[in-house]
Amino acid sequence: MRRLAARGAAGDAGEAAAPAADRTDCARGRGRSPWRLIDLCAIWDSGVVLPAADWKGPSSGVAGRRLNKAEVLSSVQKAQFQRLEAARLRGPGSRERGPVLRMAGQQPPPGVLAALLLCLLSLGGAIEIPMDLSQPPTITKQSVKDHIVDPRDNILIECEAKGNPAPSFHWTRNSRFFNIAKDPRVSMRRRSGTLVIDFRSGGRPEEYEGEYQCFARNKFGTALSNRIRLQVSKSPLWPKENLDPVVVQEGAPLTLQCNPPPGLPSPVIFWMSSSMEPITQDKRVSQGHNGDLYFSSVMLPDMQTDYSCNARFHFTHTIQQKNAFTLKVLTNHPYNDSSLRNHPDMYSARGVAERTPSFMYPQGTASSQMVLRGMDLLLECIASGVPTPDIAWYKKGGDLPSDKAKFENFNKALRITNVSEEDSGEYFCLASNKMGSIRHTISVRVKAAPYWLDEPKNLILAPGEDGRLVCRASGNPKPTVQWMVNGEPLQSAPPNPNREVAGDTIIFRDTQISSRAVYQCNTSNEHGYLLANAFVSVLDVPPRMLSPRNQLIRVILYNRTRLDCPFFGSPIPTLRWFKNGQGSNLDGGNYHVYENGSLEIKMTRKEDQGIYTCVATNILGKAENQVHLEVKDPTRIYRMPEDQVAKRGTTVQLECRVKHDPSLKLTVSWLKDDEPLYVGNRMKKEDESLTIFGVAERDQGSYTCIASTELDQDLAKAYLTVLADQATPTNRLAALPKGRPDRPRDLELTDLAERSVRLTWIPGDDNNSPITDYVVQFEEDQFQPGVWHDHSKFPGSVNSAILHLSPYVNYQFRVIAVNEVGSSHPSLPSERYRTSGAPPESNPADVKGEGTRKNNMEITWTPMNATSAFGPNLRYIVKWRRRETREAWSNVTVWGSRHVVGQTPVYVPYEIRVQAENDFGKGPEPDTVIGYSGEDYPRAAPTDVKIRVLNSTAVSLQWNRVYSDTVQGQLREYRAYYWRESSLLKNLWVSQKRQQASFPGDRLRGVVSRLFPYSNYKLEMVVVNGRGDGPRSETKEFATPEGVPSAPRRFRVRQPNLEMIHLEWDHPEHPNGILTGYTLKYVAFNGTKVGKQIVENFSPNQTKFTMQRADPVSRYRFTLSARTQVGSGEAATEESPAPPNEAYTNNQADIATQGWFIGLMCAIALLVLILLIVCFIKRSRGGKYPVREKKDVPLGPEDPKEEDGSFDYSDEDNKPLQGSQTSLDGTIKQQESDDSLVDYGEGGEGQFNEDGSFIGQYTVKKDKEETEGNESSEATSPVNAIYSLA
C-alpha cells in the first residue's frame, strides 16, 4: 500500500469576526508565492505540520504524512488551495491565517526570502499616524524617474500625497517654477498633484519634455517627489537604402548588419524574410544582442530566402522593416539533397574546407564591460568556423553563479541576473571545433547607483523627546549625501538649536511643536540618485487601538499563529499581552511579542485557547483590546485509500475515513490523475469511500482523497491498476457478436414500509457483454401519468435494492439493464404501491418577482412535482410586502405557478415568500426573495457627451451618468445611436441607416468602431433599462478622417494576343478619402520560377493599362490597390490567362510559308471552278425536277427530306458553297447532314425519281457509319465534296 498524505492548516490564525480599518505593513508587504503554500508573514522555519497518530514530537513522522503538492495537485486543485489561502495570515484588517509548510532540506526561492524579509521588517517597523491626527505631507504615489510617454496619448505625470490638513501641490520644470495656469493644455487633478497635459486640441508633446518635480505642502511641511525625467517615445523611420546582393563563398562567415534607427525606448530586433517568414536560427545562424545576424559559415541553402531586419517599437506598436538582404552563395559543388542528408560529414559533402574557429564578436582576444549592481550582465561570444564551433563559458578563479547564470542563444550568450559586486572579475568564452579552439577574455567591472543601507523613516516624538533621522546609502563610486528641509537646502533653512547635523544623521534634542517639518535626503553619484522624505511630527496623543474589538480567531492545533493588536500613541506606548485577564505579561517561551504589537504563538495547544488582552500604555493613559482564540482539532485521514489491483468489470471501493473538528464543515473531494474526478453513472461517492462499479481500463490511475475544512485539509493517495481479461482459447463462442442485454423480468415488491420498498428482479441474458448497470424508473398517476422518470441506478452485480420513496405517490416501477453495447428494453411494470401522505418538506424553487408592466409585479416559481407534493390538494401561499416600508405582509393562496400583484409603484423592491401547503399541513418557513415591480422608460438622457476621434474608423465616447431615480428600472446599458450623414467626398451617395453601439452596465465611456472613414456622422445617446430606451441626448456631430480605400472593383485582365495584356478596373466602392492614385504591382512567373516585381503608379482617374509582354510563355500575377493620403488600401489580385500550346502557336505562325499549303490552295481553286461548271449543268436541267420555292435557304441538317427524294440547290453561282467550311489546313470539310445523297445510294445501283429520271450517276455509294465516323477523310476527296453538293 502506498501511504501518502499531507496537511496544510489553512487557518493557523483563524478567521476574523470583523474586518479591521487598516492593514499593517505586514499585510501590505505580503505576497502570494506559488512555491507550495507558504505564508510570507510567518517565520520560515517554525511551521509545523500535524504528524500521524503515533506522533511524538513536532518533527516526528512528518515525512510520512506530507504529500508534495507540486507533484499531486492540478491547476484546479491549486485553485482550491488559493481559496483556502484567502483565509490565511493577515494583518489587523482581516484575521485569518494560512498554512505554514516547512520544506525539509530545501531552500526557498529568492523571491520568497525577499518577501519574508519585507514581512519581518514590517513586524518591527514604525507606527503610522492615524489620518484624523495632524501630520505633515507624505508622498504616496509618483511617476517613475524615467517617464516615457506615448506621443499619441495625453501626458500624465502622477503625484499624490496624504496629510492633515490635505496638502496643496505645485511643480517645477527644469528646476524652475512651472506655472500651470498659463498653459491651457495643462491641468491638475482635483485633490491630487497629478498633471494632465491634453493634446486633443493640438500641440506637440515634444515641447513638454524635461525634468519635473512635485511639491506637496501643508502648514507642517513640504514633501518632494523624485525628479521625473519626461521623454516622448520615438520610433524613427528606417533610412532608405538600396542593398546590393551579398556575394559570399560557401563556408565563409558572414555578418548582416541591422543598424536599427535609434528609438526611445530601444526597439526589439528580429529577423524575417521579406514574405514575413521567421528566419530559423541555430548554432550556425543566430542573431546577436546588437541585432546583427551572424553566419558562422554560409551554406548553399541560405540563399533560398532573403533576410530583413525588423524593429518593433513598444509604445507605437509598430514594426518597421529594413530592405531585405539577398545572398548569392558561390559554391564548388552542385546542390544535392541526398549528399547532405546521407553523408556523415555535411561540409566535406559540400566541398567546404574546414577552418579553425575565429571570433566574429567581440573582436580580438580581450575586452571589458561595465554593469550596474542589480542589473543583468550579458556577455556574448559569436564565433565562425567549419564545423560550427561550440561555445563554453568560464570564470577565472571561480565558478559561474549557478543560481543566477543562464545560457542563451545556443550558448553564445551568458546572462547573470541581479548582478552584485561578487560577480566582478574575468570571464572567458572558449570556442572549439575539431580543428582547434580559441578563447576571449572579458573583464567585468560592477558599479552601483546609490542603494539604501538605512533609509530615513518618519519620526514621531512627544514634546521634549529626543530622536534622530539616519540616511545611509552605498554605491560605487561612493555617493554624496545632501539634506534638505521642506524642499530647501538645510544650510539655507532657519537655524534650529534643537537640531544637529552629523554627516548622514540628523539628531533632535528636546523637540517642540515648532520642530515639525519634512526632511529630504538626497544621495547621488554618477550613476543615479535616491531621494527620501521623512517627516518629524511632534504629538501628545494618549494610546488608542486601531483594530475592531473582540475579534474571534480560529486556529488549528499545533500550528503557529499571530494575534495582532495595532495601536498608536505619542509618546509611543508600551504594549503588554495578558491571557484570560490575569497572569503576567506574555513574552518568551512559546510567545513572542513584535515591536508593532503582534503576539506570536509558536505552537498552538489546547490550553492556549482563551481570551487575550493587549494593553497599550503611555504617560497620557492606556487603551486595551481583546482577541478570542479558539483552537480546533486538525482534519486527519485515519483510514486512507490503498493501492488496488482489480479485474475489468469488477467493483472497487476506495476508503477515505476522516476525523475533523465537529464545529468545522468537512468537504471530501477526489482527484484522478491529479485532475478533479467526474463521478459518472458507474461511480458512487459517499462521505467515507468512493465506489467504482464495472471497472474499465480507463479507470486505471491515481486517486487522491482531499478532506478539507475552512481552516485546513489532509490528502491521501492510492493507485488503481486494472487487469484486462485473460486470453481464452479460440472457439465458437469467442466469435459470437455482442448485443444489448435482454429486459429484466419478474419484478417483485417486498419489505413495504412508509418511505421505502425493496424491488427484486430477474436479470435477462447479457448477450455476450456483461451487464454494468441497472436503471430503476418510476411512474406516478397523479401529476404526470404515463411519464417515466429515473429513480436510481445500481451496479450490474445486484438484482435487489431498497428504494427510498416520497409520501403520497402511487408508484409503479420498471428496470432497464445496461452493458457496453447499450440499454435493454424496459421490463414490464411492477404492481403499484402508494405511500402515505405528509406535509411538504420543501418549498417551490426559482421564486422570482418581476414586473411585466410599469404598475405590476408578477411572482412566479417552479411548481413542485409529484415526489415533493407529499399530499393531495397541493397549493402555494404567496406573501409580499414593500421592502423599504416594512409594511404588513399581503398574502394569497394560489394553485398554479404565478400571481400578479397590481397597482405597484414603478420599480421598487418587494420581499416575497412562497410556501407549499397540502391537506396534511404547511411546508417549512420559506426563504425571502427580493423582487422588483415593473419598470418604466427612463426619464433622463446622458449629458455632456464628448467625442474624441481615435482613428478613421473609431471614436471614443464619454458622458456623465444619469441619476439613479431617473432610470426607473434596472440600468441595462448606455446606448449610442449613430448614422452616416454624408461623405466628405462630393456626389457620393451614402446610406443613412441608423446603427447602435451598446455599453452594458453603469459605464461612463466607450468606443464606437467600424465607422466609414472620411464621413460626417451624427450621434445620440440614450439610457436603456428593461422597459426600453429613454429620451435621446443632444445630437452630436463629428467627422472621421481619411482612411485607406477598399479594393478596386471589377479588376479584369485580358490577353488579346501573345504580345500585350490589357488591364481594366473600376474605382473602389469605398474610397474612404480623396484618391491620390493607384499602385499596380506585377511579377512574371513560370512554374516555380518568379521574376522581379515591377511597380507602376497611376493617376486617380486612370482605370486602364496596357503592358507589353516580355515573353510569350510566362504568366503574370497582378496586384492592384488604390491610394489615399493615408496609404494604400486593400488589394485586388488577378493572374493573366495561360498561353496557348507552343506547338500550335508555331504552326499558326509558319503555315502560310509552307509549299504544301500553297499547292493545296491552288487545288482548292481548281475544284471550285469544276464545282461551278457542275452547278451550271444542273441548272440547265432544273425544269425536269421539283424545286422548292425558297432557293436562298442553304442546305443544312435541319432541312427535311422531300417525300419524292428530290433535293434543293442554289441558283446563285457567286455564293459560297453551302454546307461546307474551310479547315485550318485548307481542306474543305463537309458539315454533317442527315439529308445527303450518299444516304440514298444503294449498292451502286441507280435509282429513279417519280418521273423516271435516272440519278444514280450522281450518287456515290458510302456507308452512313463511315461518313459519320471519318468525315475528314471524305472531305479531302474533291469528288465527294462535289457529289454531296450536287
Side-chain angles (χ1 to χ4, degrees), residues 245-265:
V246 179
V247 181
V248 61
Q249 183 70 38
E250 186 174 17
L254 175 65
T255 302
L256 298 181
Q257 294 185 348
C258 180
N259 296 327
L264 184 68

Side-chain angles (χ1 to χ4, degrees), residues 72-95:
V72 172
L73 299 183
S74 66
S75 58
V76 176
Q77 187 60 22
K78 289 176 182 176
Q80 296 179 353
F81 279 150
Q82 291 174 358
R83 187 172 68 250
L84 293 175
E85 200 173 1
R88 289 155 41 101
L89 179 63
R90 295 182 177 89
S94 183
R95 298 295 303 135

Side-chain angles (χ1 to χ4, degrees), residues 768-838:
N768 305 312
S769 178
I771 296 174
T772 58
D773 298 289
Y774 286 104
V775 179
V776 178
Q777 296 182 328
F778 75 93
E779 178 260 355
E780 52 83 24
D781 59 0
Q782 181 178 358
F783 288 88
Q784 292 179 301
V787 179
W788 290 89
H789 307 273
D790 287 347
H791 183 280
S792 52
K793 181 177 288 189
F794 301 97
S797 58
V798 304
N799 68 331
S800 180
I802 296 292
L803 306 181
H804 298 283
L805 309 179
S806 298
Y808 201 72
V809 178
N810 194 19
Y811 282 100
Q812 189 177 33
F813 302 99
R814 70 182 187 184
V815 181
I816 299 174
V818 181
N819 64 9
E820 65 177 10
V821 179
S823 302
S824 70
H825 293 293
S827 67
L828 296 177
S830 69
E831 59 181 312
R832 288 195 176 272
Y833 175 64
R834 177 183 290 278
T835 55
S836 58

